[in-house]
Amino acid sequence: MNPFISNNTQAIASPNNFPSPDALFQDRQKRTKIALEFKPYTETKRGIMTGVGQAIAYLNKSHASILVCSSKVEDFDIGDYLKKTFKKFIYGKLPIALFTYDGEKLE
């Protein structure tokens, strides 16, 4: 939980107009919306970097956003790269979270 999410958060329909997140959550109690961009483990480095831009663009319609991606892409530690990038440019400046996962399955 944080300023945008409480125990009352629920999934809602994502808008069909641009930009459209992969999932959208609403917290009725806090009156906030959180957009989620999911990148599968088969995504390329370029696709994941596009996801960073998508997460930023979702802030035009949401209070916060989340980028979810694999920690390794094309034999590259994209999770570590993104963590460093987020610490330098995003954390404390934009309400965007980064979630990474290992392998083909979310566990």
Side-chain angles (χ1 to χ4, degrees):
M1 295 193 309
N2 61 40
F4 304 102
I5 302 170
S6 72
N7 289 332
N8 263 342
T9 303
Q10 61 188 15
I12 59 174
S14 185
N16 290 331
N17 55 343
F18 179 83
S20 181
D22 292 322
L24 189 61
F25 301 91
Q26 176 176 298
D27 188 317
R28 291 185 190 273
Q29 178 182 343
K30 294 188 176 197
R31 298 181 181 196
T32 56
K33 289 184 181 173
I34 302 94
L36 184 139
E37 182 61 29
F38 176 80
K39 297 298 183 184
Y41 72 95
T42 55
E43 189 61 76
T44 63
K45 288 182 280 192
R46 179 185 174 121
I48 291 178
M49 294 310 294
T50 297
V52 173
Q54 289 172 286
I56 294 169
Y58 298 152
L59 296 177
N60 284 308
K61 295 183 179 181
S62 301
H63 299 91
S65 62
I66 304 167
L67 174 60
V68 180
C69 66
S70 176
S71 59
K72 303 270 190 229
V73 175
E74 301 169 350
D75 294 324
F76 180 74
D77 191 345
I78 194 81
D80 185 56
Y81 178 83
L82 288 174
K83 183 178 176 182
K84 290 175 184 173
T85 301
F86 269 55
K87 280 185 177 181
K88 187 173 181 179
F89 297 107
I90 295 175
Y91 291 145
K93 298 175 184 102
L94 296 174
I96 302 174
L98 171 65
F99 294 173
T100 60
Y101 62 92
D102 293 327
E104 299 176 17
K105 297 180 185 178
L106 288 172
E107 296 184 36

